[in-house]
Amino acid sequence: MLTKYAERYVLRSCSAGGYLGVNAVDQRIERQTSPDDAWIFHTHEGAVNHARWIGEVHGETPDVVKLDQ
């Protein structure tokens, strides 16, 4: 389905107290304080899949949060 505005989702870690982003230098997943600096997904399905994969590896599944447009 095509929409006029792209949806935006980020991952939030409850234990780390922030949002998850990807470090530009070494591609590690790290905590960000602002959703503006977080790893952005344009589909809910993509965000959920990545949250599940992170949960499998790190033992805690982050929350998927939809950002206001």
Side-chain angles (χ1 to χ4, degrees):
M1 176 173 98
L2 297 176
T3 61
K4 184 176 178 181
Y5 301 103
E7 293 181 338
R8 298 182 325 149
Y9 299 89
V10 294
L11 304 179
R12 181 176 56 206
S13 171
C14 294
S15 67
Y19 301 91
L20 299 180
V22 177
N23 183 304
V25 176
D26 58 12
Q27 304 302 305
R28 287 190 201 196
I29 297 172
E30 61 185 16
R31 186 180 72 82
Q32 302 293 330
T33 57
S34 169
D36 295 330
D37 299 325
W39 189 7
I40 294 183
F41 298 88
H42 293 289
T43 66
H44 184 259
E45 181 180 356
V48 168
N49 285 338
H50 282 78
R52 287 181 178 158
W53 293 332
I54 290 168
E56 289 175 8
V57 173
H58 294 283
E60 178 188 2
T61 303
D63 294 329
V64 174
V65 179
K66 184 175 181 178
L67 299 177
D68 293 330
Q69 298 183 27

